[in-house]
Amino acid sequence: MSEEEKVTRRKFGGLLTFGGIAAAIAALWGVRKYLHAEADSAVVIARTGSLAPGTSLVFQYPTPEAPCLLIRTSENEYVAYSRICTHAGCPVFFHPENNDIECPCHGGVFSIQDGSVLAGPPPRPLPRIRLEMRGEEIVARGIIGS
Ligand code: FES
């Protein structure tokens, strides 16, 4: 193999590497942009009369594969969180008798006030869903802390 061929192969390899890195960055940027757009989307998740104070309902946001929990904490207050436990991904449940959110897998307990960890192994709070009231519609309007 001549010296000229080696240089050509080296240059070609460098171009492939550069092209691969550029493609990876473009793909990551595209995925990030897609997720950001999904996370900022506005979705009507319930109407104010659809759940009584002290009850909850499950909805999906920002994608059909992302379960969340809407809790009516009082007559005029609603909160919503991701339903995926930050420990190992089990679904969490609202427990009105304890006024908290609990994970049955390893005993994780979260605050309904801010999603913070009250007990158990979860390393992070539950991501909170930003809510907006539009008349009688409750609208999911983004994710805080995802
Ligand atoms: S998955 Fe929830 S505490 Fe482990």
Side-chain angles (χ1 to χ4, degrees):
M1 183 179 302
S2 73
E3 196 60 35
E4 190 174 296
E5 284 176 322
K6 286 182 186 172
V7 171
T8 301
R9 290 177 78 187
R10 189 176 303 139
K11 281 185 179 175
F12 183 69
L15 283 174
L16 280 180
T17 301
F18 177 76
I21 291 170
I25 290 170
L28 286 174
W29 188 79
V31 167
R32 185 178 171 275
K33 189 175 173 187
Y34 170 77
L35 289 176
H36 188 69
E38 287 278 340
D40 284 346
S41 62
V43 176
V44 176
I45 56 173
R47 298 183 68 81
T48 52
S50 61
L51 68 168
T55 64
S56 66
L57 65 79
V58 173
F59 65 100
Q60 281 70 38
Y61 183 82
T63 68
E65 296 79 30
C68 298
L69 201 53
L70 173 68
I71 303 169
R72 186 171 182 179
T73 57
S74 67
E75 189 63 33
N76 297 313
E77 187 184 9
Y78 298 82
V79 293
Y81 300 97
S82 166
R83 197 170 174 224
I84 300 171
C85 182
T86 57
H87 178 228
C90 289
V92 297
F93 296 85
F94 171 54
H95 279 258
E97 58 279 358
N98 297 333
N99 207 32
D100 61 20
I101 299 167
E102 299 177 13
C103 178
C105 290
H106 311 102
V109 181
F110 300 90
S111 165
I112 64 165
Q113 300 307 318
D114 57 8
S116 61
V117 178
L118 300 176
R124 294 179 308 283
L126 291 171
R128 188 169 183 159
I129 309 303
R130 184 179 296 118
L131 298 177
E132 186 178 294
M133 306 305 286
R134 292 183 186 168
E136 294 194 351
E137 291 179 338
I138 304 168
V139 179
R141 186 69 205 191
I143 301 172
I144 305 165
S146 58

